Amino acid sequence: MPAPRKPAAPRKPTTRPAAARRSKPVVSAPERDEPEFLDADLDASFEDEVSGAPLRKASANAGERLQKLLAQCGLGGRREMEEWIAAGRVQVNGEPAVLGQRVLPGDRVKVNGRLVNLHGATRAPQVLLYHKPEGEIVSRSDPAGRPNVFTNLPRVRGGKWIAVGRLDFNTSGLLLFTTSGALANALMHPRHEMIREYAVRVLGPMDDEAKDQLKKGVELEDGPAALKSIEDAGGEGANQWYRVTITEGRNREVRRLFEAVGRTVSRLIRVRYGPFLLPPRLKRGQSLLVEDADVEKLVKSLGADAEGPSRNVGQKVRGARPGGRPAPRGRAQARSQGKGAAPKRSSPRPAAKKPL
């Protein structure tokens, strides 16, 4: 007869550390209509809240100025962005923006209620040459319904074309566009004295006295103005051509200068703006994209005025705290995420002592 089985001993309850018993918090996925760079910042703020680590406060000089950042995104010029901010069309983290406000990585910026992708501000700028024909206005909106130059431009992804200066409705020739508000402002600023060269057809010849007067300067409604140079360029009969240069971009400046000395301009063509010449093969209504290497040289020649925001604005940084540096991560965690090992220590580990 088999021996009776002994009852099984009761299992002892296993004790686990508090950290192991704690359930891992579940973070809901961000909405799909938000830019990718916001994902890491939302997760980082949640980690700080769980761990009890205090949020780092940004210094007054941290981040980039809002109007500069919006202009660099290609939404318009810096002055136009300042007008938008003053009109209450811009919000930062759900609050109305103010002039001079600085934006940090992870801040949510909305224009007219729509989220702005700040990552576009760090893209390399593009420059476009356009041969403007007569009869086009340099504006996206016109109460008279006249054709505008923007309808002939190629589409640009993640931004829009910003006109560098303007040409009159009846003026043709070279017109520059760029996707960078900072670069557009630098090209137009009087401090850089960008040469504008025009081919001018005048009714009737001009004597030396009139030419000298134009070079010395005349008084216009908005202040004194002068030509930097004027040269004969031929012509027949009453139509005489001249090549002139100026370093300003005031409204109808060339036409008003000739009118001040009693001459009427019958045709005006811009053939140069700064380092760019109107290519002979570029027909009216056509555009030409400038090579990236030439754009980079142009930005360097103009200095800090043409440079956009720093590359850390709007970038996706995993584990970054808003207003602070990226949170550290372990080497094992980095390998498991496929990101590569974390940076090595700046100071070498102490050498192990040899056994005696």
Side-chain angles (χ1 to χ4, degrees):
M1 185 175 182
R5 298 176 61 181
K6 295 181 179 180
R11 294 183 180 180
K12 295 182 179 181
T14 56
T15 58
R16 299 173 61 187
R21 293 198 309 267
R22 188 179 303 163
S23 60
K24 186 177 181 180
V26 178
V27 182
S28 59
E31 298 179 2
R32 288 301 173 189
D33 60 346
E34 295 177 349
E36 293 181 357
F37 72 86
L38 289 176
D39 301 359
D41 297 309
L42 290 173
D43 294 344
S45 61
F46 185 85
E47 290 175 5
D48 290 340
E49 187 175 314
V50 171
S51 62
L55 294 176
R56 301 180 181 179
K57 295 183 178 179
S59 63
N61 295 327
E64 296 287 348
R65 292 189 181 276
L66 180 58
Q67 59 266 29
K68 178 180 179 181
L69 190 62
L70 293 175
Q72 190 67 18
C73 287
L75 297 178
R78 197 175 303 180
R79 291 183 179 179
E80 184 180 4
M81 295 301 101
E82 291 176 353
E83 294 175 358
W84 288 12
I85 295 173
R89 299 173 59 181
V90 183
Q91 289 184 332
V92 178
N93 299 328
E95 299 292 336
V98 295
L99 286 175
Q101 183 173 352
R102 292 182 177 271
V103 178
L104 299 170
D107 286 341
R108 295 166 56 90
V109 179
K110 290 186 177 182
V111 177
N112 296 331
R114 299 185 63 180
L115 199 63
V116 177
N117 185 3
L118 300 182
H119 184 66
T122 63
R123 296 173 183 169
Q126 299 182 50
V127 176
L128 190 74
L129 309 182
Y130 178 65
H131 189 163
K132 176 191 175 299
E134 298 176 355
E136 288 184 354
I137 187 172
V138 189
S139 176
R140 285 186 168 85
S141 61
D142 179 37
R146 294 173 293 181
N148 65 77
V149 297
F150 295 96
T151 57
N152 292 332
L153 304 183
R155 291 186 177 181
V156 57
R157 185 177 180 182
K160 70 176 184 179
W161 293 113
I162 302 172
V164 180
R166 294 175 180 268
L167 287 178
D168 299 334
F169 183 73
N170 294 323
T171 301
S172 62
L174 180 61
L175 185 61
L176 299 184
F177 293 88
T178 179
T179 57
S180 167
L183 180 56
N185 289 332
L187 288 169
M188 292 184 289
H189 203 284
R191 177 172 60 252
H192 297 290
E193 295 186 346
M194 286 288 169
I195 296 294
R196 288 90 156 166
E197 184 175 350
Y198 294 84
V200 187
R201 190 178 69 182
V202 181
L203 294 177
M206 296 184 61
D207 52 19
D208 293 338
E209 183 180 356
K211 295 178 184 178
D212 292 339
Q213 186 177 358
L214 288 175
K215 288 189 291 185
K216 290 180 180 178
V218 297
E219 191 68 28
L220 301 179
E221 298 87 351
D222 51 356
L227 295 178
K228 190 175 183 63
S229 65
I230 178 171
E231 298 177 357
D232 294 336
E236 296 180 357
N239 294 321
Q240 300 295 319
W241 284 94
Y242 299 92
R243 297 180 73 95
V244 304
T245 59
I246 59 175
T247 56
E248 293 180 314
R250 285 189 271 175
N251 183 33
R252 301 183 69 255
E253 185 173 1
V254 175
R255 294 181 184 272
R256 290 187 295 149
L257 278 168
F258 278 87
E259 290 173 0
V261 294
R263 299 295 186 274
T264 301
V265 174
S266 59
R267 194 172 180 189
L268 186 62
I269 307 171
R270 185 157 70 187
V271 296
R272 176 188 173 191
Y273 193 106
F276 300 105
L277 298 174
L278 181 63
R281 68 180 185 276
L282 192 64
K283 306 302 180 182
R284 284 180 293 180
Q286 294 182 347
S287 59
L288 179 66
L289 195 64
V290 179
E291 297 290 339
D292 293 341
D294 295 332
V295 176
E296 186 177 356
K297 292 179 182 178
L298 175 65
V299 173
K300 289 182 178 179
S301 66
L302 295 174
D305 291 344
E307 296 177 358
S310 57
R311 294 287 174 175
N312 65 338
V313 175
Q315 280 188 329
K316 183 177 180 180
V317 182
R318 184 170 295 277
R321 295 185 175 95
R325 292 177 293 181
R329 55 186 173 90
R331 298 172 67 85
Q333 179 186 0
R335 292 193 184 95
S336 64
Q337 295 175 352
K339 300 290 184 179
K344 295 182 179 180
R345 298 185 179 184
S346 57
S347 58
R349 293 178 181 271
K353 295 183 179 180
K354 295 182 179 180
L356 297 176

